[in-house]
Amino acid sequence: MSDTFGTLLKLTIFGESHGRAIGAVLTGLPAGLPVDMDRLEQDMERRRAKGRISTQRHEPDQVQVLSGVFEGRTAGTAVTLMIENKVQRPADYDQLKYRLRPGHADLAAFARYNGCQDYRGGGHFSGRITAGLVAAGSICRQVLANHGIQIASHIEQLHKIRDRDFDFAHLDEDIALAQSLEFGVLDPQKSADMHSLIEEAASQGDSVGGVLETVVTGLPAGIGDPFFDSVESELAHLLFSVPAVKGVSFGDGFALARLYGSQANDPIIPDPTLPGGIITATNRNGGLNGGLTNGMPVIIHTAVKPTPSIYKVQDSVDFRTGKAVKLQITGRHDPCIIHRARIVIESAVAFGLLDLLMVRDAQLKLGQDAGVPMMDTRDRFDTNLAHEHESGDAPARSETAISPTADQARKEQA
């Protein structure tokens, strides 16, 4: 199992779905960064199963900080976060040990681990493992927020129902709205329709998937490390590691392939109201060019497949005998996971961006020490994460939403 990711900031995850505990370890955080445990609990709450549209396995998911945080601040050592599994029911999986579940990793896991894998609840393949990612990501997100960087997602599409788009002329308001919503749909009527669809699928023993749209504001231009550690490379690597994610795109993504270059390019225009005075009139490339941030909002789309654990009878094979069998899964499963996956995606993005920012800051510091002049095209990220204000207040930053001029240009081009 590959359980560690990152360059200067490293994340290690551990545990299995029905083991004693799961969790994460963050290494590389400078000492002195404030950690708000109430905010961490709020992020964990967003991942918890609730109501009829989620699994009936209701884990409390209380995060225990075993090391690395002292008196509300990082101590400069490994931040170890543990979450005990409290309501396991491993007996639900006894009959499935050798009966391969369609849509799951069972067949591939036998080939990779020679039958030694923990099959209960999917073991380390389970979405349960993302609870540790959310806990670690919450800390990363707090660091970013203290520097004016905001992350928000909404359910762009559930099955065939589409939410309204983010309003880039009023992006700060939409970000605040998305962050306040438990289900994560901007249009109240579409939210009700999606709830009904999930309940209908559940009543039929089935499940549904969808697409999340994530936006990041406040990032300065120049973040990323092409060729192989571009922003897209780093974030896609992390997002495809999240169970059930089957597609990731940036900006207009695959739709760009249907355009002419004159349509796909984002015109560059002056805007003296924003730091640096230069923006793009549209944002089809999702705030990224050449693997680097360009100062515009970063836009990510993540496709989440329907939950593979459904209650309908399915065709399968008994791994021991090689014979065809009829399989019907029992136990507690989500008819849809996209509303719970929203915070998972945001957490993965927060970790990846903080790692890239730390790499850039280290490189900038070496350049400054060597006398390299800085090209200050935008209000840059504070290059010294190690020294927060004693008060814990964030340094002031300006708005990064597309200006009304740019938004009008985008509408005209559309």
Side-chain angles (χ1 to χ4, degrees):
M1 177 179 175
S2 176
D3 56 9
T4 300
F5 188 86
T7 305
L8 292 184
L9 180 65
K10 293 186 181 296
L11 169 68
T12 299
I13 58 173
F14 62 87
E16 294 88 25
S17 174
H18 281 61
R20 289 181 58 189
I22 55 177
V25 181
L26 271 175
T27 56
L29 283 173
L33 301 179
V35 176
D36 185 342
M37 292 302 296
D38 289 336
R39 175 59 189 273
L40 191 150
E41 169 59 24
Q42 290 171 15
D43 287 342
M44 296 300 296
E45 178 65 22
R46 290 178 60 194
R47 189 194 163 279
R48 287 191 179 99
K50 303 182 189 73
R52 293 181 294 176
I53 62 172
S54 301
T55 176
Q56 296 308 299
R57 179 181 177 178
H58 292 159
E59 289 279 1
D61 283 349
Q62 296 298 317
V63 179
Q64 301 176 46
V65 181
L66 303 185
S67 67
V69 177
F70 180 66
E71 295 183 341
R73 291 182 179 267
T74 55
T77 56
V79 177
T80 305
L81 307 164
M82 187 180 77
I83 304 164
E84 293 184 73
N85 290 323
K86 295 287 191 179
V87 290
Q88 310 97 310
R89 280 192 350 206
D92 287 347
Y93 298 91
D94 288 346
Q95 63 168 330
L96 300 174
K97 182 175 182 178
Y98 296 106
R99 293 192 168 202
L100 307 174
R101 297 170 297 167
H104 283 274
D106 298 350
L107 176 58
F110 270 109
R112 178 65 175 84
Y113 299 108
N114 299 312
C116 297
Q117 72 276 6
D118 185 347
Y119 62 90
R120 302 168 302 168
H124 70 267
F125 296 101
S126 172
R128 175 90 188 114
I129 312 306
T130 62
L133 173 58
V134 171
S138 178
I139 295 175
C140 298
R141 188 171 180 158
Q142 290 176 42
V143 177
L144 296 177
N146 285 337
H147 291 275
I149 298 169
Q150 294 292 328
I151 304 172
S153 302
H154 73 114
I155 303 174
E156 182 179 44
Q157 181 172 343
L158 182 84
H159 196 51
K160 298 179 181 179
I161 303 174
R162 289 189 62 89
D163 189 19
R164 73 167 176 85
D165 295 330
F166 276 123
D167 181 354
F168 285 94
H170 304 91
L171 190 53
D172 289 340
E173 291 90 336
D174 264 6
I175 286 175
L177 173 60
Q179 291 175 341
S180 70
L181 295 170
E182 181 176 294
F183 187 59
V185 180
L186 302 174
D187 184 323
Q189 183 57 55
K190 298 297 184 182
S191 178
D193 293 344
M194 290 183 188
H195 268 89
S196 298
L197 178 62
I198 296 172
E199 291 179 359
E200 180 184 355
S203 69
Q204 298 173 1
D206 220 328
S207 64
V208 289
V211 179
L212 292 168
E213 182 180 33
T214 303
V215 64
V216 186
T217 62
L219 283 170
I223 302 300
D225 210 3
F227 196 82
F228 294 112
D229 289 329
S230 69
V231 176
E232 295 100 316
S233 303
E234 183 105 350
L235 295 186
H237 191 153
L238 282 162
L239 295 177
F240 275 121
S241 301
V242 175
V245 169
K246 284 297 184 180
V248 176
S249 67
F250 298 87
D252 285 359
F254 286 92
L256 292 173
R258 300 193 293 268
L259 304 179
Y260 290 104
S262 57
Q263 298 171 309
N265 290 343
D266 295 310
I268 301 172
I269 61 174
D271 189 334
T273 66
L274 295 177
I278 301 173
I279 63 170
T280 60
T282 58
N283 196 20
R284 292 190 179 279
N285 289 275
L288 300 166
N289 294 114
L292 300 166
T293 57
N294 63 18
M296 300 297 285
V298 171
I299 302 171
I300 309 161
H301 301 271
T302 307
V304 181
K305 73 175 185 177
T307 317
S309 291
I310 60 176
Y311 297 106
K312 289 180 176 291
V313 177
Q314 301 175 83
D315 292 323
S316 185
V317 168
D318 188 303
F319 188 79
R320 291 171 299 181
T321 66
K323 294 182 178 180
V325 295
K326 293 294 184 181
L327 176 69
Q328 185 168 27
I329 295 174
T330 59
R332 304 161 295 174
H333 308 288
D334 294 88
C336 180
I337 60 171
I338 195 166
H339 54 294
R340 299 177 62 200
R342 192 164 58 106
I343 183 61
V344 178
I345 298 304
E346 293 173 10
S347 299
V349 168
F351 168 78
L353 290 176
L354 183 55
D355 186 29
L356 287 169
L357 282 162
M358 291 175 65
V359 170
R360 174 182 179 270
D361 287 350
Q363 293 171 339
L364 283 178
K365 182 63 167 61
L366 287 173
Q368 288 175 323
D369 291 347
V372 177
M374 298 291 103
M375 297 297 293
D376 194 4
T377 58
R378 272 195 175 270
D379 186 18
R380 292 196 307 274
F381 185 79
D382 185 347
T383 59
N384 188 1
L385 281 178
H387 299 289
E388 296 280 350
H389 293 298
E390 288 298 321
S391 64
D393 293 335
R397 288 190 58 85
S398 57
E399 302 295 336
T400 57
I402 298 177
S403 69
T405 301
D407 182 66
Q408 182 61 34
R410 177 177 183 137
K411 290 178 180 177
E412 291 174 358
Q413 183 176 18

